[in-house]
């Protein structure tokens, strides 16, 4: 450990000079022999000796530079802040503010976040990120934290000589008259209160000389410096001008105010110049009053809160008789002069009031006085206001708190001045980052004020004495001892030109002796004068004067010291020589009788002086003017810090002298009386002489006998109590007393014996008397109340002695060793301490506040002693304390104990403290940990939070302490606190009972300790038991949860309402949940600084630190705070609203801190997890190696939180190593849940827009695949998991987005996810990707330890990736349909189908989507399709059962099922059973569920009338019932079977052939159709849907999709469409009815197809081919005769067969045949022949019922032989057998045609015969018609085919 050495080379005390206003050497009159006046000696010593300041007393704390926070980037799925920042930065081409951590580090581990900037850089690189502590306590201010401790001693700055307030400097710049300036002018300036009509300061003299009269050496212009308590409208500057007395008959002063002529003539100039050179006496000329703080603007000056505003923006509007004038107040920002950093204002005074005769100051504002002509001239003053700093004493940076008290902002924005923002730490370094107004690179001047530091004060500056110094209730701090004389009037009976000369004489023996040189000069730089003149009162009987004459006084004056006034008359004209003054009389004023008088004095004037004129004898011989009337009025003002006005104090001083010089009688009762009478001195006098009186009393306590000691002690207690009570502030320690102890009290270099033995004895004896039960009276309580003062005196006295003892024989730079207290004194101290402790204990129980204060004083006593005496002696005191307050005690006592520990542990050397035994570790830290832990279990909630706070503040203090920055120091500190973690783990409920705020505090502490521990110490936390290790990681998880950075919108107040503390109103509004509680105070203070209401007296001037009591909750300081309070007063005010109320800069800071805190915590936990993983690999710790639940839990926690970019960057290398080390365990079945979560989050990250994160997610997926390949040898299970998680993700991720026209399109998320999934299998990019993510390029190929072969396979990954992309596309397509779902049922069904197929690897999802599809079909009344879905579901279940071999089915059953539904594929089975994932899988796949779906399929098929399917299905159900012997069910099944077969029979026997559906081909052409464009589908529609219906339906669906630029057309015919020739911008639908093709049908036959001709019994109606015929001509005509009519037969093959799972199938193959016109004709005839023959030959079920047969026969015959059917056979003949076409036919065709005709006629003939057999009476007529038709047809045909007659 570095030994602590203070800045001043190991010296503990620092001298602070406090001499001030010595313009001239200290009064020569004081240099007499002071030894004969011990009290004077004391006084002078008290004022002149340097103060002694104990540098250690208030702790010494140097902080390291504050960590600079980077903006943390928290990416959402759709943000890419990182890229935006990079772009922004490159655009600004400035220094990169955001660390570019894209550059991979050489170690393969990415160094995120810059490490600390101090020397320990090398060591710290092992950390992943910054320590969480600086971000948790970003505004850590040691001073501020200390000030929160109850009874905290607040260091007082040394009292300034001029109180605190305002310092104003005034400089005369110029005086100019319109007439011209040719003679010198003289003047005075002073502060004047125009309401009370009194002077506030002495006069400052200045003179203005015309340029030609100036000396060669130009003296620097003097400034007058005035002090003021507070600005007030009545305070002004009084300016009085004088000029050389005017010559009688010469140029009168009126030239300066005359209107015409304006300028002086040359002659006037000469006269004036000559006269002014010979005339030494002056007369009054003009005066003016300059208001400094104009009443019109209230107390403000300029801007409401701008200290740099000018004193007054306008000086007008003052009392009317001053004349209205508008001085132009020009603000010079840096003043003209180079000396000032404040703001100076140049005031031009143009309302100088000329006076006609001499006057007294009192008469200035006399309303009876006439207003004279204003002088036509301007006096320019430069007035500057300074914050009165302590710099006036010395340039001290006292205990740091002043160093940055107000940053020098003179030239920065004047309105953003903050008074000390809470949390400007004492160290100049750190404060930079806490000020939210950053300095403009200006060095902060050390004097913390805008005052020019004393070094810059010009020697010539005149500091005007402030008369209020003598009446303030404050101790005198400097030596002043002078008298001001104000001659007022002399009333004579005749007119004279009169002036007065004043001198101070020692005696009246000889008038010729020179007077004392006591007069203060009026010229700068001159020494003391023998006499001084007033001005001349010209030509008046009653001469008035306004002069002020200052003279120094002797230390002790005798009755003979007196003032002598001499009165002169002078003629104001030149006769022969220069005018000479003539004495006309004298006046005398003895000092001893009059000096103290404050009222006016009147004296007679003597004509002559005779020797001994003071004595009565001499007086008789004197002759007086004006009959001896008192005609000379004057006033005196005595200002002295040596001569007390108070008689009792003078008595005490006198008796003290006698006692000290041993001149009094030995019993000294007079002294006792004098001491006792001090009680009755009035408080002002007592305060003014407080320091010397205390010094003298301490002497008496130290050196007197017992009686005297006790008397002095009691008097002292009494004085202290009075001073404390009259304290202005209600502080715990009175300011004056603190100043006395801290600065003034001294043993003056050992000239006086140390006071601590005497004090301890007196006080100890008092305590003993109390203990023995004597009455000690009220004094005792006063002693307790003032105990702090005595304790601090004892300590300072000890320290002074210690320093003195070692001072000379210590090498430089070495600390003073601790002093071993002598046994006797230590015993005394022990007793005293014990006695006070008992008081604390007793009084606390009664709840007296005195007890708490006393407790703090005792703590500070120990604290102080630790720096002086042997620490082990102090530990005895501490342990005495802890014994008294042991264990968990009453709340009040416990509070005292905490405060006590808090104070002691705040000691600078706390870390280095030894144990009580030399072998022990730090005694204080172990006590502290014990007590803090106890407190967390205490029922008083406020104490819990206090304890947590103490811990965090301590850790911050260590963390930021410049002395403890070495890694070994940090380690040592971490080890000190490490036991705390053990205690928490042993008793976790204690932790869980804390509120979330306290939990955060504790967790931050734990993270901080863990961070700085080395591995060997850390591993101890994990070695004891599995459960304990688990608890440790529970703590880590808690910290991730509690510090997660939620965007403000995520609901701010989570956790805040967990428990309302029982304390009163919350001390400050809550701006942030996650940061330290101190931040709330910091922010409310900061926001309060930001806006100050107008008119508060302290704006502009007294920006002292805002007293914490000022901010009473009822009076908010700013609008923002008012808002904040209004909100916090509502119950559970949202922190959100509070944040909104913050200044944007503050809000930004707050967010920056929160982000960094979250990042730091996550990285710290990650680092710990990584260490854990390495140690677990070495099996050195206690954990569940089967599951590694600690690791998996923490990783799940990482992934599921909102993490910053740096974290993601650091995570994946760790993720990789963890899977390297523990892949096998983590991939095992037990960890399915973990894997699934990881898979989910990796996919979630793969959607992110930020490339860094997305790529890392891809690598994460590759790591998973790799582990899967290596440890499970296959990816099936992983595929199932990824598919499941993908499906879950789809419900979270928005895969579509609205386009501007209201339609949906694929969203960026979906695109990015697809890209990620494709990249995962992209071998070419893999190396680059791994490198970018900080892994080695061969990372995927490396064979893990313990395995031999390389099992990585890109093809496997590709398969996996493809199946996922498929699932993604299906989901996307489904989502894109969204709004069209209800409209376009076909597409909806298709999208469900695709989903079902895509999620086929996961049976549950597969089934889910199939069932959705089933429902969709049922809504559309597509029963067959719905049935197919049910069959498919049953198939999935059956396959799984067959694969598991539990079930009643075998592979054959599945084959038969596949005949019904070809989609029942075979690949599902193996994987479905392999991939049992929690919540998914085979548990739901049971025989019962299969039966359920089979039965519903059966029901649906029967609704669709596809009975043959029903039969097959029931045959699959029957084995189940058989195996279960469910005979009832079997009976039911068989009944159903019977019904089914009967229905089939019925269908078959129907004369109208049964159709289960109609089929249509639909072609889509046009780009608006998207994927459908240029594709053809076969639609399966219910059997009652006609062509018109489907046209209407489809056009309705697709018209809605057209936009303004597209229209929909339906192509009316069925010929082939040439897509390229279609009009662009039009979408075409082509709809054609088609016929299904039977399995065994000959498609090449030219016959027309008639379905009923197809031979078939019970056959499955499964169709996958369809045909339709299209007639066409080759000659280009749209229609031609039969001879031109060709026919094209198109055969379409679909993808899959109907009935399918969807209503339409894509056409995958289309073939066409062409038939020539003659073939068509032959085909037509053959078709009819076949139909007739079929009718004739078909066997009927029973001969009895011929009815149906007759009907169909009649129908066919009528169409064949009726003559009117021209299109029939006859038209064929006319077309082909007559004329020209006949010649075109080939002979073979001709023969075929003729043969067909002949056969047709033959069959007709047979049919007519059969018809005759079948008919009854009613059909006879019809039969006749048929026969006639047949005959006429034969006749017609014979024209073409003569052979026909012979044939028939």
């Amino acid at each position: 450990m570095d030994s602590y050495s203070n800045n001043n080379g190991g010296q503990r005390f620092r001298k602070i000079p406090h001499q001030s206003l010595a313009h001239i050497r200290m009064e020569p009159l004081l240099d007499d022999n002071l030894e004969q006046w011990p009290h004077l000696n004391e006084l002078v010593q008290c004022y002149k000796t340097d103060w002694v300041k104990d540098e250690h007393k208030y702790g010494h704390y140097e902080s390291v530079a504050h960590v600079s926070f980077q903006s943390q980037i928290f990416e959402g799925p759709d943000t890419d802040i990182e890229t935006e920042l990079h772009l922004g930065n490159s655009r600004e081409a400035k220094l990169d503010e955001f660390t570019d951590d894209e550059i991979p580090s050489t170690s393969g581990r990415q160094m995120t976040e810059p490490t600390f900037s101090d020397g320990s850089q090398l060591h710290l690189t092992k950390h992943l990120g910054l320590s969480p502590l600086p971000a948790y306590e970003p505004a850590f201010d040691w001073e501020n934290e200390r000030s929160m401790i109850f009874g905290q001693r607040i260091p007082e700055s040394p009292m300034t000589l001029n109180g605190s307030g305002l310092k104003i400097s005034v400089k005369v710049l110029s005086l100019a008259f319109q007439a011209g300036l040719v003679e010198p002018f003289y003047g005075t300036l002073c502060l004047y209160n125009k309401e009370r009509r009194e002077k506030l300061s002495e006069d400052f003299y200045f003179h203005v000389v015309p340029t030609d009269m100036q000396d060669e050496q130009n003296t620097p212009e003097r400034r007058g410096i005035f002090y003021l308590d507070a600005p007030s409208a009545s305070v002004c500057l009084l300016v009085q001008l004088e000029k050389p007395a005017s010559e009688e008959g010469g140029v009168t002063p009126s030239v300066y105010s005359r209107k015409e002529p304006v300028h002086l003539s040359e002659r006037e100039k000469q006269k004036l110049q000559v006269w002014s050179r010979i005339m030494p006496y002056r007369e009054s000329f003009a005066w003016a009053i300059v208001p400094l703080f104009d009443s019109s603007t209230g107390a403000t000056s300029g801007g409401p809160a701008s200290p740099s505003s000018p004193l007054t923006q306008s000086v007008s509007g003052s009392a009317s008789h001053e004349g209205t004038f508008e001085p132009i107040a020009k603000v010079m920002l840096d003043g003209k002069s180079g000396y000032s950093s404040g703001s100076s204002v140049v005031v031009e005074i143009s309302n100088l009031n000329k006076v006609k005769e001499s006057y007294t100051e009192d008469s200035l504002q006399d309303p009876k006085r006439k207003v004279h002509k204003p002088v036509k001239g301007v006096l320019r003053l430069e007035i500057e206001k300074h914050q009165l700093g302590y710099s006036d004493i010395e340039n001290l940076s006292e205990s740091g708190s002043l160093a940055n008290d107000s940053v020098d902002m003179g030239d920065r924005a004047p309105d953003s001045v903050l008074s000390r923002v809470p949390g400007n730490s004492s160290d100049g370094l750190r404060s930079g980052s806490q000020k939210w107004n950053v300095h403009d690179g200006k060095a902060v001047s050390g004097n913390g004020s805008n005052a020019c530091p004393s070094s810059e004060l010009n020697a010539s500056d005149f500091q005007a004495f402030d008369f209020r110094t003598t009446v303030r209730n404050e101790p005198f701090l400097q030596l002043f001892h002078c008298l001001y004389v104000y001659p007022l009037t002399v009333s004579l009976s005749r007119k004279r030109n009169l002036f007065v000369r004043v001198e101070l004489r020692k005696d009246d023996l000889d008038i010729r002796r020179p007077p004392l040189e006591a007069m203060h000069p009026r010229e700068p730089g001159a020494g003391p004068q023998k006499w001084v003149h007033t001005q001349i009162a010209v030509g008046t009987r009653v001469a008035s004067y306004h002069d002020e004459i200052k003279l120094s006084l002797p230390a002790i004056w005798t009755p003979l010291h007196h003032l002598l006034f001499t009165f002169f008359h002078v003629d104001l004209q030149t006769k022969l020589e220069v005018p000479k003054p003539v004495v006309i009389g004298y006046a005398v004023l003895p000092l001893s009788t009059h000096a103290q008088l404050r009222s006016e004095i009147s004296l007679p004037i003597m004509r002559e002086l005779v020797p001994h004129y003071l004595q009565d004898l001499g007086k008789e011989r004197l002759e007086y003017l004006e009959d001896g009337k008192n005609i000379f009025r004057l006033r005196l003002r005595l200002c002295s810090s040596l001569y007390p006005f108070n008689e009792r104090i003078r008595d005490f001083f006198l008796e003290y002298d006698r006692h000290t010089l041993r001149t009094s009688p030995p019993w000294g009762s007079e002294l006792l009386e004098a001491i006792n009478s001090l009680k009755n001195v009035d408080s002002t006098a007592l305060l003014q002489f407080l320091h010397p009186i205390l010094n003298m009393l301490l002497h008496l306590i130290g050196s007197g006998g017992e009686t005297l000691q006790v008397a002095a002690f009691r008097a002292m207690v009494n004085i202290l109590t009075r001073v404390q009570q009259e304290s202005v502030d209600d502080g715990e320690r009175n300011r004056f007393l603190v100043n006395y102890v801290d600065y003034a009290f001294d043993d003056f270099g050992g000239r006086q014996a140390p006071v601590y033995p005497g004090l301890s004895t007196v006080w100890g004896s008092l305590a003993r008397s109390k203990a023995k039960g004597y009455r000690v009276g009220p004094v005792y309580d006063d002693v307790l109340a003032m105990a702090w003062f005595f304790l601090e005196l004892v300590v300072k006295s000890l320290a002074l002695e210690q320093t003195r003892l070692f001072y000379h024989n210590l090498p430089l730079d070495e600390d003073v060793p601790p002093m071993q207290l002598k046994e006797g004194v230590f015993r005394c101290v022990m007793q005293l301490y014990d006695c006070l402790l008992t008081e604390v204990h007793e009084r606390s129980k009664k709840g007296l506040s005195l007890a708490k204060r006393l407790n703090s004083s005792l703590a500070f006593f120990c604290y102080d002693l630790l720096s002086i005496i042997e620490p082990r002696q102090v530990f005895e005191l501490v342990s005495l304390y802890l014994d008294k307050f042991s264990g968990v005690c009453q709340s009040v006592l416990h509070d005292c104990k905490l405060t006590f520990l808090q104070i002691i542990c705040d000691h600078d050397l706390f870390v280095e403290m030894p144990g009580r035994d030399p072998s022990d570790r730090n005694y204080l830290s172990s006590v502290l940990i014990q007590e803090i832990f106890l407190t967390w279990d205490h029922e008083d909630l406020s104490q819990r939070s206090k304890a947590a706070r103490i811990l965090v503040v301590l850790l911050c203090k260590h963390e930021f302490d410049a002395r403890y920055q070495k890694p070994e120091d940090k380690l040592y500190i971490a080890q000190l606190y490490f036991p705390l973690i053990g205690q928490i783990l042993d008793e976790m409920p204690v932790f869980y009972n804390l509120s979330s705020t306290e939990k955060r505090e504790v967790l931050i502490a734990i993270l901080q300790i863990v961070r700085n521990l080395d591995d060997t110490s850390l591993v101890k936390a994990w070695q004891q038991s599995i459960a304990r290790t688990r608890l440790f990681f529970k703590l880590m998880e808690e910290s991730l949860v509690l510090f997660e950075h939620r965007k403000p919108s995520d609901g701010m107040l989570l956790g805040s309402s967990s428990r309302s503390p029982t304390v009163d109103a919350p001390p400050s509004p809550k701006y942030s949940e996650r940061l330290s509680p101190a931040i709330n105070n910091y922010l409310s203070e900061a926001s309060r600084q930001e806006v100050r209401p107008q008119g508060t007296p302290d704006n502009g001037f007294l920006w002292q630190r805002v007293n914490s009591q000022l901010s009473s909750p009822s009076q908010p300081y700013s609008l923002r705070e008012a808002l904040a309070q209004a909100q916090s007063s509502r119950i559970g005010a949202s922190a959100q609203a509070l944040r909104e109320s913050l200044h944007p800069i503050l809000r930004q800071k707050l967010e920056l801190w929160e982000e960094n805190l979250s990042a730091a915590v996550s990285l710290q936990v990650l680092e710990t997890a990584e260490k854990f993983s390495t140690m677990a690999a070495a099996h050195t710790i206690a954990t569940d190696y089967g599951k590694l639940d600690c690791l998996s839990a923490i990783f799940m926690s990482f992934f599921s939180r909102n993490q910053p970019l740096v974290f993601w960057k650091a995570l994946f290398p760790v993720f990789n190593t963890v899977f390297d080390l523990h892949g096998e365990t983590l991939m095992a079945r037990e960890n399915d849940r973990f894997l699934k979560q990881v898979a989910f989050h990796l996919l979630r990250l793969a959607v992110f827009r930020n490339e860094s994160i997305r790529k890392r997610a891809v690598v994460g997926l590759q790591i998973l695949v790799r582990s899967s390949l290596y440890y499970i040898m296959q990816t099936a299970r992983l595929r199932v998991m990824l598919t499941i998680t993908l499906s879950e993700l789809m419900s979270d991720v928005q895969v579509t987005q609205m386009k501007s026209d209201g339609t949906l399109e694929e969203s960026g998320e979906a695109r990015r996810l697809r890209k990620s999934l494709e990249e995962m299998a992209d071998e070419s990019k893999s190396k680059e990707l791994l490198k970018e993510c900080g892994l080695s390029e061969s990372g995927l190929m490396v064979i893990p330890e313990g395995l031999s072969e390389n099992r990585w396979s890109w093809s496997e990954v590709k398969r996996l990736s493809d199946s996922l992309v498929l699932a993604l596309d299906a989901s996307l397509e489904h989502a894109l349909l969204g709004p069209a779902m209800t409209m376009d049922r076909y597409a909806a069904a298709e999208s469900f189908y695709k989903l079902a197929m895509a999620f086929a690897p996961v049976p549950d999802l597969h089934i889910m989507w199939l069932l959705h599809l089933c429902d969709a079909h049922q809504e559309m009344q597509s029963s067959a399709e719905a049935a197919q879905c049910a069959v498919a579901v049953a198939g999935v279940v059956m396959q799984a059962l067959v694969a598991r071999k539990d079930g009643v089915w075998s592979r054959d059953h599945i084959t038969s099922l596949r005949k019904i539904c070809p989609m029942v594929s075979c690949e599902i089975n193996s994987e479905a059973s392999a991939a049992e994932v929690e919540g998914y899988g085979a548990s739901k796949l049971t025989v019962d569920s299969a039966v359920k779906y089979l039965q519903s399929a059966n029901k649906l098929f029967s609704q669709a009338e596809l009975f043959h399917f029903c039969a097959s299905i029931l045959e699959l159900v029957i084995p189940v019932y058989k195996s279960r012997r469910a005979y009832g069910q079997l009976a039911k099944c068989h009944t159903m079977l019977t019904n089914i077969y009967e229905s089939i029979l019925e269908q078959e026997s129907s004369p109208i052939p049964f159709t289960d559906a109609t089929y249509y081909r639909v072609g889509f052409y046009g780009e608006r159709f998207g994927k459908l464009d240029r594709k053809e589908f076969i639609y399966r529609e219910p059997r009652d849907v006609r062509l018109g219906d489907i046209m209407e339906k489809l056009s309705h669906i697709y018209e809605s999709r057209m936009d303004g630029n597209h229209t929909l057309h339906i192509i009316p015919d069925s010929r082939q469409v040439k897509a390229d020739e279609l009009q662009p911008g039009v979408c075409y639908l082509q709809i054609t009815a088609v016929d299904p093709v039977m399995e065994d049908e000959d498609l090449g036959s030219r016959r027309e197809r008639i379905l009923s001709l197809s031979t078939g019994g019970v056959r499955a109606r499964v169709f996958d081919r369809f045909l339709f015929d299209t007639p066409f001509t080759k000659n280009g005509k749209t229609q031609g005769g039969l001879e031109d009519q060709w026919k094209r037969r198109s055969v379409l093959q679909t993808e899959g067969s109907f009935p399918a799972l969807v209503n339409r199938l894509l056409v995958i193959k289309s073939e066409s045949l062409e038939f020539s016109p003659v073939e068509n004709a032959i085909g037509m005839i053959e078709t009819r022949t076949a139909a007739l023959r079929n009718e004739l030959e078909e066997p009927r079920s029973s001969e009895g019922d011929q009815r149906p047969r007759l009907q169909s026969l009649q129908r066919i015959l009528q169409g064949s032989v009726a003559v009117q059917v021209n299109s029939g056979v006859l038209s064929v003949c006319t077309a082909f057998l007559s004329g020209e076409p006949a010649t075109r036919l080939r002979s073979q065709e001709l023969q075929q045609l003729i043969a067909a005709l002949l056969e047709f006629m033959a069959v007709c003939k047979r049919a007519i015969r059969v018809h005759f057999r079948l008919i009854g009476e009613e059909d006879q007529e019809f039969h006749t018609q048929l026969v006639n038709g047949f005959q006429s047809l034969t006749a017609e045909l014979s024209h073409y085919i003569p052979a026909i007659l012979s044939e028939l």
Side-chain angles (χ1 to χ4, degrees), residues 925-956:
S925 72
S926 47
V927 168
L928 179 78
I929 288 174
Q930 202 53 47
E931 290 298 334
I932 281 183
F933 193 76
L934 267 178
T935 316
W936 286 337
D937 212 6
H938 201 282
E939 67 273 7
D940 184 345
L941 304 179
S942 58
Q943 298 205 356
R944 293 184 189 177
S945 57
K946 181 175 176 180
R949 206 67 220 116
I950 293 177
L951 179 65
V952 173
V953 169
L954 259 177
L955 283 169
C956 284

Side-chain angles (χ1 to χ4, degrees), residues 1000 1041-1042 1044-1056 1071-1074 1132-1137 1139 1154:
R1000 283 194 185 90
V1041 174
L1042 289 171
E1044 180 183 3
H1045 178 67
R1046 289 188 285 278
K1047 285 278 189 281
S1049 57
D1050 304 350
M1052 283 288 315
L1053 271 184
L1054 284 151
S1056 62
Y1071 291 95
S1072 162
E1073 271 298 316
R1074 285 176 286 292
S1134 74
Q1136 178 63 37
R1139 291 171 96 99
E1154 289 192 336

